[in-house]
Amino acid sequence: MKIAIPVDKKDIKTEECVSFGRAPYFMIYDTEANEAVFLDNSAAAMTGGAGIKAAQAIVDSGAESVLARRCGENAAEVLKAADIKIFKTRSSSAKENIDAFIAGELSQLDEIHAGFHGHHGGN
């Protein structure tokens, strides 16, 4: 299974990025191969629609689940349409969140916010 998580750096020991749509990178972690690859998030610098474009990149990556602290409604709709579930993170460490997900310790993110459309506050 591939898991996507927004991160600040291209390093497995990096911190989770609190912003989904404006995260600089996404870590795509393959639980079967125990390998991580990193995607540049070209949506991070967009003035609007960052969450939608970022979510589409996650869909295109083949990820089946997303781990995030929060997610805007537009991004959540794209992920939902692709049958990708969003789980709420509980640690600042990307790897600790992945380990918690694999252990079945993360719950689904059910608090989807309206987003920060065009306000650069992150989403």
Side-chain angles (χ1 to χ4, degrees):
M1 170 186 279
K2 290 183 179 179
I3 306 165
I5 183 167
V7 293
D8 292 322
K9 297 178 183 174
K10 291 182 178 181
D11 184 331
I12 192 126
K13 296 179 182 175
T14 189
E15 300 289 307
E16 173 198 13
C17 182
V18 295
S19 173
F20 177 80
R22 301 206 181 275
Y25 312 102
F26 288 101
M27 179 194 306
I28 309 297
Y29 189 83
D30 186 329
T31 60
E32 294 172 15
N34 291 323
E35 293 178 349
V37 296
F38 296 88
L39 302 177
D40 292 341
N41 181 15
S42 62
M46 293 177 65
T47 56
I52 294 171
K53 187 169 181 176
Q56 187 59 52
I58 298 298
V59 172
D60 294 343
S61 76
E64 298 170 58
S65 297
V66 168
L67 310 183
R69 191 165 306 177
R70 60 186 183 179
C71 186
E73 64 184 0
N74 290 339
E77 287 299 318
V78 171
L79 297 171
K80 182 180 175 183
D83 200 27
I84 296 174
K85 293 183 173 49
I86 308 168
F87 291 85
K88 185 168 179 58
T89 57
R90 61 180 192 187
S91 168
S92 60
S93 163
K95 185 66 168 91
E96 287 177 11
N97 284 310
I98 290 169
D99 291 343
F101 173 79
I102 292 170
E105 298 172 354
L106 298 184
S107 59
Q108 285 198 19
L109 179 67
D110 54 6
E111 297 174 20
I112 304 300
H113 67 80
F116 300 103
H117 308 133
H119 299 285
H120 300 282
N123 61 342

